[in-house]
Amino acid sequence: MSRFFLFLLLSVFCLALPVQADPFRLFGRSYDRSLAVYGSFIAPPGVTESPTENAKFELYIKPSITLRKLSDKTSLVAYAIVAFLGDSEGFSYNNKVTFALGTEIQYQLSKAVRLSFGSQWKMEREFSTGMLRSAFILTADASVYKTWKPDWLQRRQGAELVLSGWANYRGPGSLHASERKNGQLQASFKLAVALPYRETKLKLAPFISVMAKADQLGRVFNNTFEPAIGLDLKIPISGGGSIAVGAKTAHQIRHATGTAKTGTSAYVTWYKRF
């Protein structure tokens, strides 16, 4: 089974690599395509753990093809996602490979905001248990990325405010049998002040952020509200993309139990589009 997943990953990756050449052609038609590679390493993964207890790694590879332009702002897109997840504690739900095939309608609401609605077939295999699961999932996504320069930043060359974030709904939110009727909504937004570091292309970005989760069945771990403050070092990647090295202190509130806890995490994230 592991050979199957490795072959699947290599096939998808190789098919999507030459994206800067002519558009992909099939049956006499041209299709725009792209490849996104992104992921993170964080220790600890959540405020309920300590850095000596656990660290988590995630890697995502997402090739996509625009099947049809429905209007200037609307497109029908097909995509695949291959993901590898692992943690130092070996929890089965954090150590697995997943694969998804999906389609979605993407609508560019404005220059800063994009909406997507669709569905995907997803399967996952846990490394420790060998458990294999699959299901069809309804998807809804929103993303925002906006920069601007208020008056109080005018004296700092290259400095800017950056608002970034995302929200999504997955129904079901998990492939576990007990969660098949449990939809999940989650969102994360960050407001940062990006400040150039000396004469380099690096930027220091102090930020405030908020993350929220909710599900239909009221699970303790799926119903949280988490404000945070932190600092990122932004490292640009040639051709589009970035690496962020940072740390944050978050205060997590769990609605189901009425409990709260504060914790600090260090992390590295990366994003590259080809």
Side-chain angles (χ1 to χ4, degrees), residues 179-196:
E179 300 292 308
R180 289 299 179 90
K181 295 183 179 181
N182 190 16
Q184 182 177 347
L185 175 67
Q186 53 185 349
S188 177
F189 297 95
K190 176 188 288 187
L191 180 63
V193 183
L195 303 169

Side-chain angles (χ1 to χ4, degrees), residues 44-95:
V47 299
T48 59
E49 299 169 295
S50 73
T52 58
E53 289 178 336
N54 203 7
K56 186 178 180 182
F57 171 83
E58 296 181 343
L59 174 64
Y60 296 86
I61 301 171
K62 183 180 180 180
S64 61
I65 298 175
T66 301
L67 299 176
R68 184 177 295 274
K69 291 285 291 183
L70 304 177
S71 71
D72 290 341
K73 294 185 176 182
T74 310
S75 302
L76 175 62
V77 176
Y79 62 88
I81 301 176
V82 180
F84 292 93
L85 291 79
D87 72 0
S88 57
E89 280 293 293
F91 294 125
S92 59
Y93 52 84
N94 275 343
N95 289 266

Side-chain angles (χ1 to χ4, degrees), residues 241-257:
S242 67
I243 297 172
V245 181
K248 68 177 182 179
T249 297
H251 181 72
Q252 185 185 89
I253 301 168
R254 293 194 167 190
H255 306 304
T257 60

Side-chain angles (χ1 to χ4, degrees), residues 4 21 26 37 53 79 105 108 116 159 181 184 189 194 273:
F4 167 74
L26 181 66
V37 179
E53 289 178 336
Y79 62 88
I105 300 291
Q108 197 70 37
S116 304
K181 295 183 179 181
Q184 182 177 347
F189 297 95
R273 180 176 292 275

